[in-house]
Amino acid sequence: MKTTIKAALWLAANLLVTSVVAQPSPKSQPRMNPPQTDKIVLYQIYTRLFGNLNSTNKFYGTRDENGTGKFNDITDKALKELKKFGISHVWYTGVIEHATMTDYSAYGIPKDNPYVVKGIAGSPYAIKDYYDVNPDLAVDVRNRMAEFEALVARSHKANLKVIIDFVPNHVARQYKSDMKPAGVKDFGEGDKVEEAFNPQNNFYYLPNRKFLVPDNVPVPPGISTFPYEEYPAKATGNDVFSAKPSINDWFETVKLNYGVDYLNNRSRHFDPIPSTWLKMRDILLYWAAKGVDGFRCDMAEMVPFEFWGWVIPEVKKVNPAVIFIAEIYNPAEYRNYLFNGKFDYLYDKVGLYDSLRRLMEGHGHTADITRVWQQESGDFANRMLRFLENHDEHRIASKYFAKNPFYAIPAMVVSATLHTGPLMLYFGQEVGVTPTIAEGFSGEDGRTTMFDYWGVPEYQAWVNGGKFDGGKLNEDQQKLRKFYADLLKLINKSDAIQNGAFYDLQYANNNGQSAGYNDAKHYVYLRHSDKQKLLIVCNFDLYNGAQTTVKIPAHAWETMGLSATGKYTLTEIFNHPQTLTVEAAQGVPVSMSENSVRIFEIKTSK
């Protein structure tokens, strides 16, 4: 979940660095219980959509009309194919029970008021019960937790790690846990509701004021309505302290109180430990005990870093291998949340994603890539999660983004190989999912719906009736998926990419130093370890190829432990089969087609 408040978080996001000497990025500071490798490959599955083979796709269709995927649809075969594809971790999005317009009251689950739910299916980030799973995802609703636990077991059997969302900043307005363990107090239970702020309250209150639903909240046809009552009003999830938030706010959620007094200069009250901290620790331990291997923490920077610095070690005392990934949009806070908050990984959205997006759209400058590692994440690049799609962002192939899924080729290679850190794909990215019609609440916006029941045609073609063999993919979709499969195979077997250092070669080739080299559209760098040396050349120009000679300066050769006067063989290992023999001082002649990548392995010539 995100909002437009992130847009102003970092003023320098568009700065360009045009001529600087690149040095290999040092490893980040050691952290408690580091993962075995940082080059994990995370695959985000929108669980409600993954296995849904219903192709009705009616605007604002109900669960029974449009269908919904189940935990059981993610079969042994599906997981085996994901592992074969090159995935190491699966992020199951939308697992924990959230508010919905679908009525499950027959199963003892209270009905939600449609005026505080977004979409018929509801947002997975409006949590209704932290101790339960989404009943939509169960074949047998009464057996829903067992079905989730079986999915965890299947995932582990396939040698895949399981990630789920942890949503710490806010809950659904009608939050009520029916499945909490005995003795656990619910959120808000015992709050002093007459106090706007109390460090031990779980919520922020607007005493003596009634909550008012925003104007023009859309309610789908056929959904019965009834008045929504909330008194006193609670603050809304995106830090809105108004009894009547706007339709553009996270009006369906309530902000949780971690001991920060937002209306009093954000003063902090962490001693004694706030009630919300203790409740959240217990929730994380509950899911970790079910075999969950990690948490993608929604809008982590809206929760004080002090909480994370306390709770992450608390969880890792019980299971040191659990990983924590922060959704974060403010580079000024990166170090804080890594080294004080103790996160394992952070989203690299406003840095690398935004830079690559501009290039994929035909504008932007490759100097932005240099700026990212130099100014934002150079000494902890191994802990930045790189991606080109997720549930919040436009699909690459949509008219709001690149319009062509193949325009992702250079950007995806850079995302995967720039450093030793993790990579993420969103389900269907590899087959070019292209949303073109309105599904419901969010309208036609170039994203796969978060809020409504839907079938994803391109992904259904890969699922192929449960065979998970891509049997219904067209030729272009097969070609695109092969590119992703080949890239994942490369990064999973390459020692230089898994473990090696990085060297930016822009400074040696830009500003006319290399004939035919377009320093706005071309990007070239080395990845090197003791076992392997790679030269990676990317052409982001969507329309023009190029012929150039890439210069590798003496310092770069020496940094790789090679002679700057030696003779070397360069073998293309990713795309075009080609072998070159070059003198180090003369550079590397490279021919590039438009929108392409060349990856050469460097070896001493015999």
Side-chain angles (χ1 to χ4, degrees), residues 180-224:
K180 64 184 186 296
V184 172
K185 287 188 175 183
D186 220 345
F187 283 90
E189 188 176 341
D191 274 10
K192 297 179 179 179
V193 300
E194 70 280 3
E195 297 184 29
F197 169 77
N198 183 302
Q200 296 302 321
N201 279 355
N202 297 134
F203 300 123
Y204 298 95
Y205 295 93
L206 285 75
N208 304 314
R209 299 184 68 185
K210 179 182 177 180
F211 176 80
L212 299 175
V213 174
D215 296 329
N216 302 316
V217 170
V219 177
I223 299 294
S224 60

Side-chain angles (χ1 to χ4, degrees), residues 46-74:
Y46 208 123
T47 318
R48 189 171 67 224
L49 303 179
F50 179 89
N52 183 23
L53 299 182
N54 188 318
S55 59
T56 303
N57 285 354
K58 175 185 175 182
F59 179 69
Y60 269 134
T62 66
R63 177 199 62 194
D64 295 338
E65 290 172 327
N66 282 355
T68 182
K70 308 289 185 181
F71 293 130
N72 290 358
D73 292 329
I74 308 172

Side-chain angles (χ1 to χ4, degrees), residues 565-586:
T565 58
K567 188 176 183 180
Y568 300 97
T569 299
L570 280 74
T571 303
E572 168 75 57
I573 63 171
F574 182 60
N575 199 356
H576 310 284
Q578 182 182 11
T579 299
L580 306 171
T581 300
V582 301
E583 300 284 347
Q586 295 178 356

